[in-house]
Amino acid sequence: MIPRLWLSSVIAAAKYIPAASVFRHIPASFVHCPLASVISNASRRRFTVNQIMKVPGITANDSIESDPANPLLRDWSDQPFGLPPFKDIRVSHFASAFEVAMASHVADLIDIASSPNGDFDSVLGAYDRAGRLLSRISRVYSTYTSSINTPDMQKVQTEMAPILSRHNSKTYDIPGLFEKIERVYEIKDEKLRSGEWTHEQARFAERVHKKFVRMGAKFDAATKVEYADIQAELASLQTQFMQNVLKDEEEWELVLTKEDFEGCPADVVAAARQVAIDKKKGPDDYVMTLGRSLVEPFLSYSSRRDLRKTVFEAFSKRGELSQGRDNLKIAVDILRLRRRQAQLHNKGSFAEYQFEDTMAQTPQAGMKLLNDVWVKSKDAAKREREMLEAFISKKGETLEGGIQPWDWRYYAEQVRQAEFNFDENEMKPYLSLEAVTNAAFDVSNKLYGLKYVKRDDIVAYHPDVNVYEVRRTKKDKSDEDEIVAIFLHDNYARLYKSSGAWMSELRTQTKNLLPGSDPVERIPIVTNNNNFSKGSERTLLSFTDGITLFHEFGHAHHGMLSDATYEYLASTSVLKDFVELPSQLMEHWLSEPVVLREHAKHYQSGVVLPDDLIKRFKAAELFNEGFNTIEYTSCAMYDIALHSLSDYGDDFDLAKFEQEYLEEQGMPQGIIMRHRPPHFLHLFASSSYASGYYVYMWAQVLDNDVFAAFEETGDVFDRDTADRCRECIYAAGNTVAPQELFRKFRGRDPIATFMLKNRGLIAH
């Protein structure tokens, strides 16, 4: 069982793209001149978007003037697998493309609302197909705003945020549309009993209806206007919050000499030198930035306490490093808007509103799990702290102020080496990026039969990105392959790229295509983003970096193995506290000795990772788990507590609330929240994970239980278990309620025992 270091689960999120959602049926918003009158004028205007753009699967028959030279609007069938024509796309293309796509989407929805037909396909089938032009443009846009968000792109993002939000709100207020959806929803049980509908169709009707209600479809006219205003303002504030963090990460640097890296492993020194080269510094300069993959190794190995403090304080204050960028104020404004949003839904708090559509159902249920873990992890952290203090005392050292947050990682590594004879840095030469990637591909093949074929000839959105065809053997023809997905792997940190790690999609799996559509439109295009520091000779990963790569690859499998009829239910479109199960489950395989022995090979000599090192690694893997759990759990508890407040008055002080809440919970000295409020992107760069950060722990209960099913067979690659896992965990999407999927796989409800044991919080 792997150590849960939270450098994967906590920084990653399925489809998490700050302030720029991957629009699917709730695409961005665009009711703004000249589109403000689109709805009122649509019935009088007749154009043919299909004739202008010939986009597969797009059915709109209402359009505005289009620029056929805009690559975002033209037919992509001449591109490999229908990928976007990245080499032709410019920042200036997005605004005009969105204008056309918004009009097309509105027209699609008006057609549904005004059609005399009320059968399933005419309403929900058509709804699932509506806005596909907008969806494909929005996905490219999201890729740019997260992975290559240059100053010019940021300007477009700032301008578009409220516009896209207002369009999104308007799509839930098309006259007659909700009424039609509600009529279909009301007959779902009858149709299911009669056998006219499948369970997936009934689930689709339920989920679409619920989304409309949660977006205010039942509000009166005045409340709908207020709700749309709230959403638009939130979009702007969340974009600003994200860009402020990005700006701090872009601007802050610490120029050092090679001697300043005393104690640091060679790959960290090389990465700092590479940053200096990229930033065109002097020949003897080495540069520290605020990238986590550079910061955490420095904090773990640098013997310079003064420099550790400097780096840690800057890292922990991202979002408030500049007086002109006050993310604490922005966060409070966001909280007040969310509170009003919840009030309009007659909810006591935003947390109550968010939890309504989760497996947990209530904030109390989420907090109960966290509190149970919190108590046990505080005891573990106390024992770890005592070990650190004893080690420091034995060395005859005295730390002014005791162990501080910039000390813990450093002394934890010292103790790990002294007590367990294990230095994680020993493993790095065996964990090159290439080796870990190949390990992930091999695990994928052994579990699910997927094969990865690199396509160097395909141009992606950045030279760092590798493109793969994902194939598998046909079920009925063992000597033939079929294509399953296209996979884009973007691994390196760079300027203008958001921090963290995430999975996204440029196209989601679907079977709901119009007759005559290109079959390639069924095939998902999935992207994984990481932020590893690029090495000058070879990029070497820490074990935690490797877990991050496997985590995102688990999300990628959720997209690549999806087998839903309707895009709305496909891939990662599941309840929030289920979405991290597929990703966290995949993490388990990297620490399996059978995987390490096959793939962890020294990047220079090719020698396999020694068994003795594997044994020492396994013996030490739970050390410092109390610290890691406290770092995460404090964030998740704080998130729910913050969003459970009923009021944020004029004098509400977010920093004060942070301090007082953590003191109240007994936060151990020397540890702080992994993500402090001014840079807590999961909470304030979008609303998706707001009051939802607990989901990583909730999913840990699930993923440890699921992996136990593999272990119980005696073979972590057991074929029957893998087949059931693919069917229940990865392929089903939201076609079945998550509780039912888990019971189908495990034969019972989940239990927390496996998670607690594997985190060392209860005895085996």
Side-chain angles (χ1 to χ4, degrees):
M1 177 52 212
I2 63 170
R4 292 305 197 215
L5 299 178
W6 300 102
L7 273 173
S8 56
S9 304
V10 175
I11 61 175
K15 287 185 170 181
Y16 175 68
I17 297 179
S21 302
V22 177
F23 307 112
R24 180 191 300 160
H25 311 293
I26 48 167
S29 41
F30 213 89
V31 174
H32 182 69
C33 294
L35 286 178
S37 60
V38 164
I39 288 182
S40 61
N41 292 340
S43 61
R44 299 194 298 270
R45 302 171 62 190
R46 282 296 180 223
F47 305 85
T48 52
V49 171
N50 273 343
Q51 291 174 3
I52 295 172
M53 292 164 282
K54 298 181 181 177
V55 178
I58 292 174
T59 61
N61 58 12
D62 185 81
S63 170
I64 60 176
E65 291 184 8
S66 170
D67 176 9
N70 188 325
L72 292 168
L73 295 174
R74 72 172 187 240
D75 181 7
W76 294 352
S77 62
D78 62 339
Q79 300 296 304
F81 308 106
L83 279 158
F86 288 117
K87 63 183 177 60
D88 299 328
I89 295 171
R90 303 292 180 266
V91 172
S92 59
H93 292 139
F94 283 104
S96 59
F98 270 128
E99 185 172 348
V100 173
M102 296 300 134
S104 169
H105 185 214
V106 167
D108 285 347
L109 298 178
I110 290 175
D111 281 351
I112 297 170
S114 60
S115 170
N117 300 319
D119 60 281
F120 184 93
D121 190 66
S122 297
V123 180
L124 290 179
Y127 183 74
D128 187 60
R129 294 187 294 268
R132 284 195 173 158
L133 172 62
L134 175 59
S135 177
R136 75 171 198 169
I137 293 171
S138 298
R139 292 162 189 261
V140 177
Y141 174 75
S142 294
T143 299
Y144 277 59
T145 56
S146 58
S147 299
I148 41 176
N149 203 6
T150 62
D152 285 345
M153 193 69 227
Q154 290 178 44
K155 290 177 183 177
V156 173
Q157 185 184 24
T158 300
E159 293 168 358
M160 293 299 298
I163 296 170
L164 298 177
S165 176
R166 288 195 179 278
H167 172 81
N168 182 45
S169 296
K170 183 57 67 177
T171 63
Y172 293 96
D173 193 27
I174 301 293
L177 181 60
F178 176 64
E179 290 76 9
K180 208 157 194 178
I181 287 172
E182 189 158 46
R183 284 195 293 272
V184 174
Y185 166 75
E186 289 170 348
I187 62 173
K188 67 179 177 63
D189 293 335
E190 173 191 338
K191 294 291 186 181
L192 189 59
R193 282 193 301 268
S194 69
E196 295 178 69
W197 286 11
T198 64
H199 285 277
E200 182 178 357
Q201 287 175 307
R203 178 72 173 171
F204 186 18
E206 173 191 327
R207 295 304 301 167
V208 173
H209 182 268
K210 189 175 189 71
K211 183 65 177 181
F212 267 75
V213 172
R214 287 176 61 79
M215 287 300 294
K218 291 189 174 184
F219 291 159
D220 60 38
T223 306
K224 286 180 179 179
V225 171
E226 182 183 359
Y227 202 74
D229 288 344
I230 290 172
Q231 296 295 320
E233 191 169 355
L234 280 171
S236 293
L237 290 171
Q238 289 166 174
T239 297
Q240 187 179 355
F241 185 96
M242 183 274 290
Q243 289 185 356
N244 284 349
V245 176
L246 183 62
K247 199 69 177 176
D248 278 356
E249 292 173 347
E250 288 172 13
E251 291 183 353
W252 191 91
E253 62 180 33
L254 181 63
V255 180
L256 302 172
T257 65
K258 188 174 184 178
E259 289 70 29
D260 291 326
F261 284 83
E262 182 181 351
C264 292
D267 66 290
V268 174
V269 180
R273 177 60 195 145
Q274 185 62 48
V275 174
I277 293 171
D278 293 343
K279 288 177 171 281
K280 296 180 172 54
K281 301 295 183 181
D284 298 322
D285 290 335
Y286 294 73
V287 176
M288 283 296 300
T289 66
L290 296 182
R292 189 178 290 275
S293 62
L294 192 56
V295 167
E296 294 210 343
F298 187 83
L299 295 175
S300 298
Y301 293 103
S302 171
S303 59
R304 289 280 302 273
R305 192 186 193 209
D306 59 331
L307 294 179
R308 294 200 309 267
K309 180 180 180 181
T310 298
V311 171
F312 181 87
E313 288 185 337
F315 186 69
S316 65
K317 292 180 179 178
R318 288 168 296 150
E320 55 180 349
L321 291 176
S322 169
Q323 292 183 349
R325 296 190 290 270
D326 187 357
N327 266 4
L328 290 176
K329 180 183 182 304
I330 292 172
V332 172
D333 290 341
I334 289 171
L335 290 167
R336 288 172 180 148
L337 289 168
R338 288 175 179 167
R339 172 69 189 111
R340 179 56 182 158
Q341 180 183 353
Q343 286 177 327
L344 294 177
H345 283 284
N346 294 316
K347 302 297 181 184
S349 66
F350 186 74
E352 184 181 338
Y353 168 74
Q354 287 286 78
F355 269 86
E356 181 183 54
D357 194 28
T358 64
M359 293 179 71
Q361 290 289 291
T362 67
Q364 292 76 21
M367 193 65 93
K368 181 181 184 303
L369 172 63
L370 295 171
N371 276 323
D372 289 347
V373 173
W374 179 252
V375 173
K376 294 177 175 66
S377 59
K378 280 201 299 183
D379 291 340
K382 181 176 182 293
R383 292 192 297 271
E384 291 163 3
R385 182 184 181 84
E386 290 169 351
M387 292 179 71
L388 303 191
E389 290 172 337
F391 176 82
I392 293 168
S393 177
K394 186 177 180 179
K395 289 186 65 178
E397 294 183 21
T398 301
L399 294 182
E400 183 181 350
I403 297 174
Q404 297 298 319
W406 48 88
D407 299 317
W408 193 297
R409 286 179 174 83
Y410 175 72
Y411 286 103
E413 284 306 312
Q414 301 290 306
V415 170
R416 197 190 309 272
Q417 294 173 33
E419 297 294 326
F420 300 97
N421 190 27
F422 176 73
D423 178 358
E424 188 182 11
N425 198 51
E426 289 182 78
M427 292 185 71
K428 276 192 171 184
Y430 300 90
L431 297 175
S432 67
L433 175 58
E434 292 83 357
V436 176
T437 300
N438 288 335
F441 288 172
D442 186 48
V443 168
S444 173
N445 178 259
K446 288 175 177 174
L447 288 172
Y448 309 116
L450 301 185
K451 310 168 189 178
Y452 297 82
V453 180
K454 195 161 183 281
R455 290 292 303 269
D456 290 326
D457 58 311
I458 296 179
V459 176
Y461 55 86
H462 190 277
D464 284 347
V465 182
N466 292 322
V467 181
Y468 299 87
E469 285 183 38
V470 185
R471 310 185 71 86
R472 68 181 166 206
T473 303
K474 288 184 176 181
K475 292 180 180 179
D476 55 343
K477 294 183 180 180
S478 60
D479 59 340
E480 292 185 20
D481 281 354
E482 62 182 354
I483 189 161
V484 176
I486 301 299
F487 178 59
L488 281 68
H489 215 189
D490 185 353
N491 284 309
Y492 297 117
R494 59 176 174 268
L495 191 64
Y496 306 129
K497 183 178 180 181
S498 294
S499 58
W502 62 93
M503 168 268 198
S504 56
E505 292 177 309
L506 288 161
R507 186 169 63 220
T508 297
Q509 177 269 329
T510 185
K511 300 174 187 176
N512 183 26
L513 299 176
L514 289 174
S517 297
D518 188 338
V520 78
E521 294 295 312
R522 294 171 173 257
I523 298 170
I525 303 173
V526 177
T527 299
N528 271 180
N529 271 264
N530 294 299
N531 266 283
F532 305 136
S533 296
K534 185 183 291 188
S536 55
E537 179 183 359
R538 188 71 62 87
T539 296
L540 304 181
L541 305 184
S542 66
F543 185 77
T544 303
D545 287 336
I547 290 295
T548 300
L549 187 148
F550 266 65
H551 177 101
E552 295 310 326
F553 202 47
H555 282 311
H557 278 70
H558 208 176
M560 295 188 296
L561 293 174
S562 179
D563 190 27
T565 302
Y566 303 100
E567 182 181 335
Y568 194 92
L569 301 176
S571 182
T572 59
S573 296
V574 296
L575 299 194
K576 198 162 39 192
D577 37 12
F578 189 81
V579 78
E580 296 300 333
L581 165 57
S583 55
Q584 292 177 182
L585 176 61
M586 184 65 75
E587 297 176 23
H588 291 257
W589 274 270
L590 181 58
S591 64
E592 285 298 304
V594 64
V595 175
L596 291 173
R597 290 189 184 104
E598 184 170 356
H599 294 285
K601 298 178 181 179
H602 197 284
Y603 78 99
Q604 291 176 322
S605 67
V607 173
V608 176
L609 183 69
D611 282 347
D612 174 66
L613 184 51
I614 294 177
K615 290 177 182 177
R616 288 185 282 125
F617 158 66
K618 299 296 284 185
E621 66 179 343
L622 291 179
F623 172 68
N624 212 35
E625 196 58 18
F627 168 85
N628 294 319
T629 307
I630 288 291
E631 267 201 326
Y632 161 76
T633 310
S634 59
C635 292
M637 294 171 66
Y638 169 88
D639 171 31
I640 295 176
L642 182 65
H643 284 100
S644 293
L645 297 178
S646 59
D647 185 45
Y648 308 92
D650 293 340
D651 60 346
F652 182 75
D653 187 327
L654 192 58
K656 183 179 179 183
F657 179 83
E658 174 191 6
Q659 179 182 352
E660 292 178 349
Y661 180 76
L662 295 179
E663 288 177 357
E664 179 184 318
Q665 300 305 313
M667 185 75 165
Q669 182 186 349
I671 310 177
I672 71 167
M673 289 167 55
R674 185 169 184 80
H675 305 292
R676 291 194 52 249
H679 58 257
F680 206 158
L681 294 174
H682 281 77
L683 265 59
F684 298 117
S686 80
S687 294
S688 179
Y689 278 71
S691 194
Y693 201 60
Y694 79 96
V695 302
Y696 295 101
M697 182 67 75
W698 188 276
Q700 283 237 323
V701 172
L702 306 179
D703 76 70
N704 280 277
D705 202 335
V706 170
F707 190 70
F710 282 91
E711 292 180 309
E712 289 161 8
T713 70
D715 178 7
V716 295
F717 292 107
D718 179 70
R719 172 56 56 198
D720 290 341
T721 308
D723 287 346
R724 287 189 294 113
C725 185
R726 177 191 53 76
E727 177 187 353
C728 298
I729 308 302
Y730 289 101
N734 205 356
T735 62
V736 181
Q739 297 90 333
E740 295 178 34
L741 288 173
F742 189 91
R743 292 187 197 109
K744 183 178 179 182
F745 175 79
R746 206 66 167 106
R748 56 165 171 75
D749 288 334
I751 56 177
T753 305
F754 298 103
M755 180 272 289
L756 294 171
K757 285 182 179 179
N758 289 334
R759 292 188 68 82
L761 298 178
I762 62 174
H764 278 267

